[in-house]
Amino acid sequence: PGTGTGNPSGSSGDKRRLWLGGAVGSSHPLGRLANDSDANIYARLDLVRRLTPVLNLRLMFGLAQFTAQPALTIDHPRYTHLSANVQWHLPFGGASRWYVNGGPGVYGNEAGSTCGGLNVGGGFMIPSPGPNAIERAQWWARSGRPPTTTRGSVAALARGS
């Protein structure tokens, strides 16, 4: 184990510095994207660095896939992102640690164009046996010109290293 201050869920007994995680959930189009797309899958890889008992840095690489409507006439919209977030654990919770996070990112679509954006989210983490934490979260992202807004829901597992 490393010599950090603990796992990203806030458990004080674990001394790992970095946590590698993954998330799978759903992505939902909002705004003008919702006019011709429906919800589909979201997948993400995370690298989390614990800074203090209540503050983490989180690097996220994600893929949001939507289902085009009508599906036979247009391509299914797809976005990737690389985001750097600060995650703050709220000062309450018993077995779970509630948090809010947010930060800037770079977003790309299936056509190859990229732009800057911002995402915010919240959720909770639950310590699990061994060097693991389970997470449940909601997020919102906005990027591009004209702006594209999406939201998602994920369940995740983080493993310490």
Side-chain angles (χ1 to χ4, degrees), residues 19-44:
W19 289 75
L20 180 62
V24 176
S26 60
S27 56
H28 303 266
L30 299 175
R32 78 180 168 84
L33 186 59
N35 293 338
D36 57 11
S37 300
D38 287 334
N40 202 323
I41 194 163
Y42 177 76
R44 184 182 80 212

Side-chain angles (χ1 to χ4, degrees), residues 83-161:
S83 303
N85 281 223
V86 173
Q87 182 179 61
W88 177 60
H89 288 266
L90 303 173
F92 58 82
S96 62
R97 293 292 306 264
W98 291 83
Y99 68 85
V100 293
N101 65 258
V106 176
Y107 296 78
N109 63 21
E110 71 278 2
S113 65
T114 60
C115 63
L118 180 68
N119 68 76
V120 295
F124 60 89
M125 296 177 117
I126 302 169
S128 64
N132 302 308
I134 299 170
E135 176 183 355
R136 177 74 174 91
Q138 291 280 327
W139 56 265
W140 294 264
R142 187 165 177 90
S143 66
R145 287 197 167 110
T148 299
T149 305
T150 60
R151 75 173 174 85
S153 175
V154 297
L157 177 66
R159 178 150 179 91
S161 62

Side-chain angles (χ1 to χ4, degrees), residues 31-95:
R32 78 180 168 84
L33 186 59
N35 293 338
D36 57 11
S37 300
D38 287 334
N40 202 323
I41 194 163
Y42 177 76
R44 184 182 80 212
L45 293 175
D46 298 323
L47 183 61
V48 179
R49 169 70 166 98
R50 176 105 185 245
L51 297 177
T52 72
V54 296
L55 196 63
N56 295 335
L57 291 179
R58 175 177 277 204
L59 185 63
M60 304 184 305
F61 176 71
L63 170 70
Q65 173 79 45
F66 302 98
T67 301
Q69 294 300 328
L72 297 177
T73 59
I74 59 175
D75 291 335
H76 298 301
R78 179 178 60 248
Y79 295 88
T80 57
H81 73 89
L82 180 62
S83 303
N85 281 223
V86 173
Q87 182 179 61
W88 177 60
H89 288 266
L90 303 173
F92 58 82

